Amino acid sequence: IVRKLLPKGYNIRVYDNLSPQVHGEFFQIPEDLNKNVDFWKEDIRDKESLKRAIENQDIIIHLAAETGTGQSMYEISKYVDTNILGTANILDCIINSRNCVQKIILSSSRAVYGEGKYKCKIHGFVYPGTRKESDMKKGFFENRCPVCGTPVTLCATTEDSMLHPSSVYGITKQIQEKLIQVVCSSIGLPYVIYRYQNVFGAGQSLSNPYTGILSIFSNLIMQGKMINIFEDGLETRDFVYVDDVADATVLGMENDNANNLIFNVGSGKRVDVNTVVNILEKAYCKKTEKKITGDFRVGDIRHNDEHVHTARKREV
């Protein structure tokens, strides 16, 4: 996003705690960014530094969050503290301190939909809840109708679909959205909310064990190590290239027609995990051992099929 904004002449301040889980222990800010942005290594939970950081800024692009779906299920307070309190701090500073903020952009997540929208032959559109651990231990991974328990057909999840997150992470993103909507509406501050799909591309962490199967699988293939494919490998995700996400984010920042709206941002195409591994092996011209283990993470969704508004420029 910074690289999209710099050629446009914006004065940019980056506020980031450079979490080692995301950036590694010895991360260095790229030279072109370090020279051209005002970088603050600070934590969004520190309200006093946040207050100083937004003092003379016109627009806030709020990307700060803990993002591991599986990790959120056992590090609950960490996710609530960062994602919810951090967002509350931003809004608190906007309302109670001197600043010139004119718009806020929130990076939310498709995780707010949980398993998303399905169709039951008997009950019509339904929204399955979190899959049962007891079923997944038996190898039953597909969703069922929450009313009658019969198999259901996956449908495209639109922005007006029911929100029913199936992870602590998803809950925190939903609360972020509601905080932004309620507070900004009360003071007449425009906002744009983006529900990102699975973002991949240049700059992605190669060491974060909780997000980004493309980078994780790439590392394993290049090192000749076995890939542990969770569930049965038929779970699907929508992978969207980082440049497309950055373009969408900047567009919402600059275009007032997007004000006070919510958008899914993805490729509009779902890909199963087995296919992802095959594509990566072909791209690297290297085969590796693969094992479909049936392992699973509580809180992970089965499929990802969103109705999206951005043009698909690149595919996995």
Short mmCIF file of all heavy atoms in Angstrom, two decimals, residues 20 28 35 74 87 139 207 221 273 280 293:
data_model
loop_
_atom_site.label_atom_id
_atom_site.label_comp_id
_atom_site.label_asym_id
_atom_site.label_seq_id
_atom_site.Cartn_x
_atom_site.Cartn_y
_atom_site.Cartn_z
N PRO A 20 7.68 -10.04 15.70
CA PRO A 20 8.62 -11.06 15.22
C PRO A 20 7.92 -12.26 14.57
O PRO A 20 8.48 -12.88 13.67
CB PRO A 20 9.35 -11.49 16.51
CG PRO A 20 9.25 -10.30 17.41
CD PRO A 20 7.89 -9.72 17.13
N GLN A 28 14.50 -5.92 8.62
CA GLN A 28 14.96 -4.59 8.29
C GLN A 28 13.96 -3.95 7.32
O GLN A 28 13.56 -4.56 6.34
CB GLN A 28 16.34 -4.65 7.63
CG GLN A 28 17.45 -5.17 8.53
CD GLN A 28 17.77 -4.20 9.67
OE1 GLN A 28 17.77 -2.99 9.47
NE2 GLN A 28 18.05 -4.74 10.84
N LYS A 35 13.50 5.46 3.71
CA LYS A 35 13.90 6.82 3.34
C LYS A 35 12.71 7.74 3.10
O LYS A 35 12.82 8.96 3.25
CB LYS A 35 14.76 6.78 2.07
CG LYS A 35 16.18 6.27 2.28
CD LYS A 35 16.94 6.32 0.96
CE LYS A 35 18.39 5.87 1.14
NZ LYS A 35 19.13 5.91 -0.15
N TYR A 74 -6.42 -20.36 21.07
CA TYR A 74 -5.78 -20.64 22.36
C TYR A 74 -4.95 -19.47 22.88
O TYR A 74 -4.32 -19.57 23.95
CB TYR A 74 -4.94 -21.92 22.30
CG TYR A 74 -3.83 -21.90 21.28
CD1 TYR A 74 -2.57 -21.39 21.59
CD2 TYR A 74 -4.02 -22.42 20.01
CE1 TYR A 74 -1.55 -21.38 20.65
CE2 TYR A 74 -3.01 -22.42 19.06
CZ TYR A 74 -1.77 -21.90 19.40
OH TYR A 74 -0.76 -21.88 18.47
N THR A 87 -8.26 -1.23 18.17
CA THR A 87 -9.23 -0.46 17.38
C THR A 87 -9.93 0.57 18.25
O THR A 87 -10.15 1.72 17.83
CB THR A 87 -10.25 -1.41 16.73
OG1 THR A 87 -9.56 -2.35 15.92
CG2 THR A 87 -11.25 -0.64 15.87
N GLY A 139 -13.01 -37.94 10.41
CA GLY A 139 -12.78 -37.70 8.99
C GLY A 139 -13.96 -37.10 8.27
O GLY A 139 -13.97 -37.05 7.03
N SER A 207 8.03 -17.04 7.60
CA SER A 207 8.28 -17.73 8.87
C SER A 207 7.06 -17.83 9.77
O SER A 207 7.10 -18.55 10.77
CB SER A 207 9.39 -16.98 9.63
OG SER A 207 9.02 -15.63 9.87
N ILE A 221 8.72 -27.10 0.07
CA ILE A 221 9.09 -27.65 -1.23
C ILE A 221 10.55 -27.35 -1.55
O ILE A 221 11.31 -28.22 -1.97
CB ILE A 221 8.16 -27.10 -2.34
CG1 ILE A 221 6.75 -27.66 -2.17
CG2 ILE A 221 8.71 -27.44 -3.73
CD1 ILE A 221 5.71 -27.00 -3.06
N VAL A 273 -6.67 -27.20 -1.45
CA VAL A 273 -5.30 -27.26 -0.96
C VAL A 273 -4.45 -28.24 -1.78
O VAL A 273 -3.27 -27.97 -2.05
CB VAL A 273 -5.27 -27.63 0.53
CG1 VAL A 273 -3.83 -27.88 1.02
CG2 VAL A 273 -5.91 -26.51 1.36
N LEU A 280 2.30 -25.28 -6.94
CA LEU A 280 3.58 -24.83 -6.41
C LEU A 280 4.72 -25.76 -6.85
O LEU A 280 5.81 -25.30 -7.21
CB LEU A 280 3.53 -24.73 -4.89
CG LEU A 280 2.69 -23.59 -4.31
CD1 LEU A 280 2.60 -23.71 -2.80
CD2 LEU A 280 3.27 -22.24 -4.71
N THR A 293 -2.96 -36.08 6.14
CA THR A 293 -2.95 -36.67 7.49
C THR A 293 -4.30 -36.66 8.19
O THR A 293 -4.48 -37.38 9.16
CB THR A 293 -1.96 -35.91 8.38
OG1 THR A 293 -2.40 -34.54 8.49
CG2 THR A 293 -0.55 -35.95 7.80
#
